[in-house]
Amino acid sequence: MLATSADDGLRQRILVLRKVLPATRQLLMHTDLRSAKVQAIRRNPQVTWLFYDHVQQVQLHIQARAVIHHDDAIADELWASETESSLRCYLAPRTPGSASVHPDCNLPEHVRGRIPQRTEVQVGRANFAVIVSHVLQMEWLKLHPDGNRRAIIRPCETSPSEWLSV
């Protein structure tokens, strides 16, 4: 889950984490440039991520600062690495989250019910953006019957790829 700050309060969304860059403490995901989360991040780049592993009973809460990438090498690289099935949503004619009179998948007729070819999704590149979250701090919580265990983890100032538990 990614939480952003909006004019009317906080907003949480379930998203797909696409890439983790440990050496630079970055989490990458992609989204529609027209989405409300992009506008929220541009107004306030402070975000939080929340992950939960049901089997391990571990929760990870991450505080981060997000940056939107659209027309640059970072966006180009992630676009090139994604499958057509992941990219076809960027062909949506309406802004994500916009109201519709009738239930609708918000995809053009010619790609409904099938995975389009790479050349067909290319027009969606104009709507594609990457959110790069720079991790500032993590809170690890292990749920346990004998009592929960918690750790605050911050990057080492002298070696940014290393972490310190405080």
Side-chain angles (χ1 to χ4, degrees):
M1 265 193 174
L2 176 73
T4 59
S5 176
D7 293 338
D8 58 349
L10 300 176
R11 178 84 193 271
Q12 296 175 316
R13 301 159 179 91
I14 295 174
L15 301 171
V16 177
L17 180 62
R18 299 294 177 164
K19 195 171 195 180
V20 176
L21 302 173
T24 56
R25 301 187 328 258
Q26 295 176 327
L27 307 175
L28 280 72
M29 50 111 10
H30 55 77
T31 189
D32 195 301
L33 185 66
R34 303 167 292 172
S35 71
K37 74 178 109 10
V38 168
Q39 303 315 313
I41 290 168
R42 285 183 170 158
R43 285 190 301 274
N44 181 355
Q46 298 299 328
V47 300
T48 61
W49 285 87
L50 181 62
F51 300 91
Y52 181 69
D53 182 324
H54 175 71
V55 174
Q56 298 293 321
Q57 293 196 326
V58 170
Q59 175 181 296
L60 184 64
H61 178 260
I62 296 176
Q63 294 177 8
R65 182 172 201 76
V67 176
I68 304 298
H69 292 268
H70 168 61
D71 194 16
D72 62 13
I74 291 170
D76 288 343
E77 181 182 333
L78 200 54
W79 173 269
S81 71
E82 290 297 324
T83 64
E84 290 78 7
S85 62
S86 293
L87 298 176
R88 87 177 173 159
C89 63
Y90 299 107
L91 298 172
R94 292 187 321 278
T95 301
S98 61
S100 176
V101 176
H102 303 286
D104 182 46
C105 67
N106 197 20
L107 284 174
E109 287 288 336
H110 72 280
V111 296
R112 291 182 184 190
R114 69 179 183 88
I115 305 302
Q117 298 294 313
R118 191 58 147 192
T119 54
E120 293 175 285
V121 296
Q122 190 57 41
V123 69
R125 177 61 181 87
N127 297 325
F128 180 86
V130 175
I131 299 174
V132 177
S133 296
H134 301 269
V135 177
L136 304 172
Q137 176 176 295
M138 298 185 286
E139 178 182 346
W140 175 88
L141 179 66
K142 168 72 174 170
L143 303 176
H144 195 274
D146 295 333
N148 299 338
R149 292 170 177 85
R150 179 176 173 259
I152 301 295
I153 305 163
R154 294 190 179 124
C156 177
E157 291 185 24
T158 57
S159 180
S161 64
E162 294 182 30
W163 295 87
L164 301 172
S165 178
V166 292

